[in-house]
Structure formats: structure tokens, C-alpha cells
Amino acid sequence: MYVLFFILSIWIFIRTISYAIYEIKQEKNKLGGTIVLLLALVALVFPIVMVLIRGIY
């Protein structure tokens, strides 16, 4: 179950990073892209830490 959770988190992280790169390169919105990058990093790290601390159930 942990492996599925980690794979899903990484998949969401990659999708979000790709949007941030698009926002920076295509739309020339560096602030928006940077905020999305930071949010993606928080969305990757925080749930994994919480699952490791509290368990998945």
C-alpha cells in the first residue's frame, strides 16, 4: 500500500512540475511557475512524511 501511495505522489509531482515548466517557458510567468514549483514540492514531501509518521490507516 505504501508503494502505491509513493508512486501516486510522484506521478502527481511530475505532472505539476511539467505545468510549472510550461508556465515559466511558454507563458513567461516566472512568479507563477515558481509558486507552482514550491507547491509541488510541498505536495510531494508533506503527505509522504505524514504517512511515514502516522501510517496509512
Side-chain angles (χ1 to χ4, degrees):
M1 192 72 172
Y2 288 115
V3 174
L4 179 64
F5 183 77
F6 292 139
I7 290 172
L8 182 64
S9 293
I10 290 171
W11 182 66
I12 292 170
F13 177 72
I14 291 171
R15 297 276 309 230
T16 308
I17 290 295
S18 66
Y19 177 71
I21 292 171
Y22 165 78
E23 193 68 28
I24 290 170
K25 289 189 176 186
Q26 298 295 325
E27 301 296 325
K28 307 290 190 238
N29 185 2
K30 292 185 181 191
L31 179 63
T34 305
I35 296 298
V36 171
L37 282 171
L38 292 174
L39 242 121
L41 187 62
V42 168
L44 176 69
V45 172
F46 185 70
I48 291 175
V49 168
M50 291 307 291
V51 164
L52 291 175
I53 291 173
R54 303 184 114 207
I56 203 146
Y57 300 110

